[in-house]
Amino acid sequence: MFGYIQPYIPYLYFKDGVLYKALYCGLCKSIGGCCGQRARFSLSFDMTFFSALLHNIKNRDVKIENRHCVLHPIVRRPIAEDDEITQTIACLNVALAYYKLSDDVEDEHKGRLARAFFRKGFCRAREKHPEAVRIVQERTAQLRALEKENCDSPDVAADPFASMIAELSDYCLGEYATEHTRTLCYGIGKWVYLSDALDDYDRDLKKKNHNPFLAAYPAPSRKEMLETHRENVDILFAAIFSQNADSLKNIRFYYNHDLTDNIILRGMPAATRRILCGCKDKMNLGKMRIS
């Protein structure tokens, strides 16, 4: 996806940092096994979060063992063992990355080589999970249609992506899916889309790409847009955070959920503040030394 869903390091317990890194490395290995070694370059922090979330809701314990990997052939590191949930998420990771690259090709007429690089991995993901890929394809097409119409409502523009994440959560959770898990994942998907749009305001203005915030609040720059419309933007994100918090209270978790609470309740608002202040450093996990 986009790499915005990350833990908030100052309030991250050591045990949760170990779990997160193990899930990250486990997902990387699973992508290689399911979709080929090239596809591992598509590894996303966003999907690592979903791995933690889905394992907990589905009552699947994460087993961690110290193993070697390609990047760390000498020193063993904690890596989550592969399982059905991780394999499904691995395929979704590759499919979402492929369609994100396809979107770049449509918007900026570049990235064809990168998309071709992941083509084989995408085909393997589609073969294993055709229904999930169909969801991604259909929702991406709806999103593209709204962009071509120059949709000037951030809420409306974000709906296809948010609905895609909600439907994919239903697909992965199966019998464990509820109204509250769907609402939570819808809110997370909406937040990801709007965060990316707000972050790309100036770039999209320069390249003349569609951006829901640019269409709704045209201005010479994001800074000037926020000077006039900051309250509207704050209300939009505050509504998402409030709904996510309410959904969390009604979801049954089988294990300790400090990690996902940290990401949803602290990491996401922190990322929004970073974007609003114009900070460029999206990556706040350097101190965790994931790779």
Side-chain angles (χ1 to χ4, degrees):
M1 287 168 21
F2 302 95
Y4 290 97
I5 309 178
Q6 301 177 14
Y8 186 58
I9 303 302
Y11 285 85
L12 185 68
Y13 293 117
F14 179 81
K15 65 179 178 64
D16 296 322
V18 173
L19 173 60
Y20 187 87
K21 288 185 286 186
L23 287 169
Y24 181 87
C25 294
L27 180 57
C28 182
K29 278 186 170 290
S30 188
I31 291 173
C34 293
C35 302
Q37 298 306 311
R38 288 184 179 182
R40 294 174 75 170
F41 288 96
S42 69
L43 178 61
S44 166
F45 292 112
D46 300 324
M47 300 310 288
T48 304
F49 157 75
F50 279 107
S51 179
L53 183 70
L54 298 183
H55 274 92
N56 203 328
I57 295 175
K58 294 191 74 172
N59 192 21
R60 301 292 193 273
D61 192 16
V62 177
K63 298 179 180 179
I64 301 174
E65 60 179 15
N66 291 323
R67 300 167 59 189
H68 294 297
C69 74
V70 175
L71 293 177
H72 304 87
I74 299 177
V75 180
R76 293 176 181 268
R77 58 194 294 109
I79 299 178
E81 290 186 3
D82 200 16
D83 58 23
E84 182 181 353
I85 295 176
T86 307
Q87 292 170 6
T88 301
I89 294 174
C91 291
L92 293 180
N93 185 107
V94 175
L96 289 167
Y98 183 83
Y99 277 102
K100 176 63 171 66
L101 289 170
S102 296
D103 189 58
D104 292 341
V105 171
E106 289 288 336
D107 282 345
E108 303 177 22
H109 306 290
K110 67 177 185 179
R112 295 182 186 277
L113 288 177
R115 184 175 63 176
F117 182 80
F118 290 110
R119 175 68 183 174
K120 186 175 181 179
F122 167 72
C123 290
R124 292 176 66 172
R126 183 175 57 188
E127 182 180 351
K128 295 176 185 295
H129 295 280
E131 176 61 19
V133 173
R134 180 195 63 78
I135 293 171
V136 176
Q137 184 176 23
E138 289 185 357
R139 290 301 185 179
T140 301
Q142 293 174 7
L143 182 60
R144 171 59 58 184
L146 288 173
E147 290 175 349
K148 289 183 177 179
E149 295 172 4
N150 195 33
C151 177
D152 61 358
S153 167
D155 267 317
V156 174
D159 181 72
F161 189 86
S163 295
M164 177 181 70
I165 301 303
E167 290 174 20
L168 290 176
S169 75
D170 286 347
Y171 175 83
C172 292
L173 288 171
E175 63 182 287
Y176 292 88
T178 67
E179 174 188 350
H180 301 296
T181 61
R182 184 182 179 88
T183 301
L184 174 65
C185 291
Y186 181 94
I188 292 172
K190 183 176 182 179
W191 176 81
V192 168
Y193 178 84
L194 293 177
S195 295
D196 184 63
L198 186 60
D199 208 12
D200 287 347
Y201 188 99
D202 290 333
R203 191 188 72 169
D204 290 336
L205 175 64
K206 180 179 179 180
K207 294 181 177 293
K208 298 182 179 181
N209 293 333
H210 171 265
N211 185 303
F213 288 108
L214 181 59
Y217 312 121
S221 69
R222 178 179 59 191
K223 180 180 179 181
E224 292 174 88
M225 181 274 288
L226 289 173
E227 289 175 355
T228 305
H229 302 285
R230 176 64 182 264
E231 184 177 358
N232 292 335
V233 175
D234 284 345
I235 290 173
L236 180 61
F237 282 100
I240 296 173
F241 296 145
S242 177
Q243 182 63 66
N244 288 349
D246 287 341
S247 297
L248 275 177
K249 297 175 183 177
N250 294 289
I251 294 175
R252 179 181 181 183
F253 290 96
Y254 286 86
Y255 303 102
N256 182 290
H257 48 96
D258 288 339
L259 174 58
T260 48
D261 281 359
N262 172 284
I263 294 172
I264 296 170
L265 301 178
R266 294 186 183 276
M268 290 169 57
T272 302
R273 291 193 296 271
R274 175 195 64 76
I275 296 170
L276 288 170
C277 76
C279 299
K280 298 296 183 183
D281 184 18
K282 180 189 297 185
M283 177 64 177
N284 65 1
L285 296 176
K287 295 180 181 179
M288 294 182 66
R289 297 180 63 84
I290 286 179
S291 58

